[in-house]
């Protein structure tokens, strides 16, 4: 089985790098019609953006990590690098698939992806970020280059941007999150058409999301 379900809600995405081995920021963009289509059995790619920062000299390892990561990401992925006097940053713009567990397992048979968005219908729709077996393979290859390289999730911050393009109202819920930098033990928002919600899951040490994966709940009216 391609999906790893060892954690409570699973995990999430892309090449990690550096001493922390996790993304500094991970942005996931979801349209409500994407969620509806996945619930009806479709599997397709949605955009994500991951940023990694290394607070030390690069010595060319960022380029090596990029070449390795390309094998495990969507073919159209875009990599960009920037640097300051104290750090190196790698930004990856790519896509990952969304779908039900069964449909994603079939999809991963022909597509290398380190992470997916799993949709489960439990009376309401749950969307969670999970890593795949390809994440283990990526981690192994990076570690062979340098023990300081690796892949580990979740990121320090995972940002779900949910945009409503549905005709009817859509309710979006999440637990223990930040919205507009304000903490919420429980967040709920009803989205009218063209409304959006930007929900941040903090995954740094000491956060509940350093142990479990980000998860949102969606209800269509």
């Amino acid at each position: 089985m391609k999906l790893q379900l060892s954690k409570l809600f699973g995990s999430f995405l892309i090449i990690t790098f550096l001493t922390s081995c996790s993304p500094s920021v991970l942005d996931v963009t979801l349209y409500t019609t994407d969620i509806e289509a996945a619930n009806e059995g479709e599997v397709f790619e949605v955009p994500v953006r991951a940023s990694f920062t290394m607070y030390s000299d690069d010595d060319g390892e960022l380029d090596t990590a990029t070449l390795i990561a390309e094998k495990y990401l969507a073919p159209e992925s875009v990599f960009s690098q920037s640097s300051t006097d104290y750090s190196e940053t790698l930004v990856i713009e790519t896509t990952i698939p969304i779908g039900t567990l069964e449909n994603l397992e079939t999809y991963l048979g022909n597509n290398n992806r380190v992470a997916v968005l799993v949709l489960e219908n439990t009376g309401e729709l749950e969307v969670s970020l999970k890593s795949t077996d390809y994440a283990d393979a990526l981690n192994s290859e990076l570690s062979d280059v340098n023990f300081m390289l690796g892949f580990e999730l979740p990121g320090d911050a995972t940002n779900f941007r949910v945009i409503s393009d549905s005709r009817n109202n859509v309710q979006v819920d999440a637990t223990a999150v930040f919205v507009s930098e304000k903490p919420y033990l429980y967040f709920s928002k009803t989205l009218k058409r063209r409304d959006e919600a930007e929900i941040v899951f903090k995954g740094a040490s000491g956060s509940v999301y350093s142990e479990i994966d980000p998860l949102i709940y969606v209800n269509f009216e």
Side-chain angles (χ1 to χ4, degrees):
M1 188 172 81
K2 295 294 183 182
L3 291 179
Q4 296 175 312
L5 303 180
S6 57
K7 292 187 178 180
L8 180 58
F9 297 126
S11 300
F12 181 77
L13 164 50
I14 298 210
I15 162 186
T16 176
F17 179 66
L18 322 163
T19 54
S20 67
C21 293
S22 59
S24 302
V25 180
L26 180 64
D27 296 305
V28 181
T29 301
L30 270 177
Y31 286 85
T32 54
T33 53
D34 293 343
I35 299 171
E36 289 181 291
N39 187 47
E40 293 170 359
E42 294 187 42
V43 175
F44 51 92
E45 303 273 337
V46 298
V48 297
R49 184 178 186 270
S51 302
F52 304 83
T53 301
M54 179 174 67
Y55 296 99
S56 64
D57 292 333
D58 181 4
D59 294 329
E61 290 175 340
L62 200 59
D63 291 331
T64 302
T66 296
L67 291 173
I68 293 173
E70 286 177 344
K71 298 187 298 182
Y72 299 99
L73 302 177
E76 68 273 16
S77 301
V78 176
F79 297 77
S80 58
Q81 299 180 27
S82 62
S83 61
T84 68
D85 291 340
Y86 305 103
S87 66
E88 299 284 338
T89 298
L90 172 65
V91 175
I92 304 172
E93 296 176 80
T94 187
T95 60
I96 60 170
I98 183 173
T100 63
L101 179 61
E102 181 180 1
N103 290 334
L104 285 169
E105 287 178 337
T106 301
Y107 185 83
L108 291 172
N110 298 309
N111 299 275
N112 294 2
R113 300 292 186 272
V114 296
V116 293
L117 289 162
V118 177
L119 184 142
E120 184 177 3
N121 192 334
T122 61
E124 60 184 343
L125 300 183
E126 300 180 4
V127 182
S128 58
L129 289 154
K130 300 182 184 292
S131 63
T132 72
D133 288 350
Y134 294 114
D136 287 340
L138 172 58
N139 183 64
S140 178
E141 285 202 50
L142 291 175
S143 298
D144 287 343
V145 174
N146 187 316
F147 75 93
M148 294 293 287
L149 301 179
F151 178 81
E152 187 175 293
L153 291 171
D156 294 340
T158 300
N159 177 28
F160 269 92
R161 184 184 179 207
V162 183
I163 303 170
S164 178
D165 56 346
S166 302
R167 290 186 177 182
N168 296 328
N169 292 348
V170 180
Q171 182 176 319
V172 179
D173 303 320
T175 302
V177 296
F178 288 79
V179 176
S180 299
E181 300 185 356
K182 180 180 177 180
Y184 288 83
L185 179 59
Y186 179 76
F187 174 78
S188 182
K189 182 176 181 179
T190 298
L191 303 180
K192 298 180 180 179
R193 194 172 189 179
R194 298 186 179 86
D195 283 347
E196 64 179 73
E198 197 161 313
I199 304 166
V200 179
F201 299 83
K202 300 288 188 180
S205 176
S207 166
V208 63
Y209 292 106
S210 64
E211 300 297 331
I212 64 175
D213 291 328
L215 172 71
I216 62 171
Y217 303 89
V218 182
N219 290 279
F220 291 89
E221 297 183 1

